[in-house]
Amino acid sequence: MAEKNNDALKITYNNLDPNSEPEKDFYSGAELIERDVEVLPTLLDPIFPKVGSVAIAGGSDIGKSTFLRQFAIAVSVGDRDFLGWTLNAEHNRAIVVSTEDFKDLMTITLKTFNKERRLPSEKYNGVSFMFMIDDLFEKLENRIKDEKIDLLIMDAFLDIFDGVMNDGGQVRKFLTKYDQLANKHGFLLVFNHHAGKRTQQFKPSKDNLLGSQSFEAKMRLVIEIRPDLVDDNRLHLCIVKGNYLPPEFKSESFVIESNENRYFSNTGEREVFEHLRESVREKEDLKKLCWDLKQEGKSIREIEIELKSQGYKISKSTIARYLKEYEE
């Protein structure tokens, strides 16, 4: 896997305030041309726009929610960067709508997270969590009117959307309602969505998202998150849609890695999309190799050393899982 310097790929965007001018129902072409806007305002430069709707997609239980929660906390505690990219939060407030967690579990999750950051509890006042989604739109609108935010995370889309996923009209109507809320109040809206089953056999693509094409079409940016094929602690951020980003952002993943506290950092490495396709045959061969080394009397640590000497990037936790799966 080749290493690249992310700074060489950065684009500088202005940190503009979308609320600095009143919204109008109509704009003439002359008004638009004369506005002092030359580049796209960003929340996370240059990846995430400051305003609008984007999507994070991927398989179940790979760390999407953990990644998004870390992003929300970075926004709310006043961090100036996230994974090495510049963070341009204005209000230092975020809301996370979490349908797959509950209060006690989130309490434990945040305490584990804070083992990494070691911040006083009051530093977390800027991030709010919602677990009950009855009358969701009205509750969010009332909250945001009173307290401006930078970021709203909807986790997960399929739980919040109350229509038929394969009905493009219903999907687009639902998304437009929330997208206009984001544009009206000047924040970034991130949907956590699922990729289709068995799509890991294909290279990352916006076509891998579950359901209607209308979902992907409404998003300004789509990132497909892929698990690393040999290391459970690594994820690949694959930008599969982002018309304002140059091609080099959309052909190779950005590799992030989590530690024992499930805290992600950017490795600085990238991988071409084609190399992220899961080959069932290759995976089974690696499982058998782990098993054969175990039968030789090697410990998991010794197996890790042996495999790394052969060019495999694999963690002890992955080896343990492979051994368990092969035995079963």
Side-chain angles (χ1 to χ4, degrees), residues 200-241:
Q200 290 189 37
Q201 298 175 32
F202 309 103
K203 73 176 184 178
S205 168
K206 63 184 180 180
D207 298 327
N208 292 336
L209 273 64
L210 195 64
S212 170
Q213 186 267 345
S214 294
F215 179 89
E216 169 269 312
K218 190 65 177 177
M219 299 297 114
R220 295 178 63 180
L221 172 87
V222 177
I223 295 179
E224 183 180 354
I225 296 186
R226 283 286 180 94
D228 193 82
L229 297 181
V230 295
D231 191 337
D232 289 344
N233 295 322
R234 289 185 165 212
L235 292 177
H236 295 261
L237 306 182
C238 306
I239 300 174
V240 295
K241 178 182 178 180

Side-chain angles (χ1 to χ4, degrees), residues 113-130:
F113 178 88
N114 203 38
K115 291 178 182 178
E116 187 71 29
R117 296 302 304 265
R118 300 184 182 278
L119 298 172
S121 59
E122 58 267 22
K123 286 289 289 183
Y124 291 85
N125 280 331
V127 58
S128 299
F129 295 89
M130 291 184 67

Side-chain angles (χ1 to χ4, degrees), residues 14-31:
N14 291 338
N15 182 19
L16 300 176
D17 179 5
N19 299 312
S20 60
E21 55 182 317
E23 286 294 325
K24 298 168 53 175
D25 290 329
F26 299 95
Y27 293 90
S28 71
E31 287 177 309

Side-chain angles (χ1 to χ4, degrees), residues 74-117:
V75 167
S76 66
V77 301
D79 287 349
R80 304 317 303 164
D81 72 272
F82 177 68
L83 298 179
W85 291 298
T86 302
L87 190 53
N88 298 314
E90 178 185 358
H91 308 290
N92 296 128
R93 282 192 292 271
I95 296 175
V96 179
V97 178
S98 180
T99 63
E100 298 180 343
D101 293 318
F102 54 95
K103 184 172 60 175
D104 289 348
L105 179 59
M106 189 62 71
T107 297
I108 295 169
T109 299
L110 289 177
K111 287 183 176 181
T112 300
F113 178 88
N114 203 38
K115 291 178 182 178
E116 187 71 29
R117 296 302 304 265

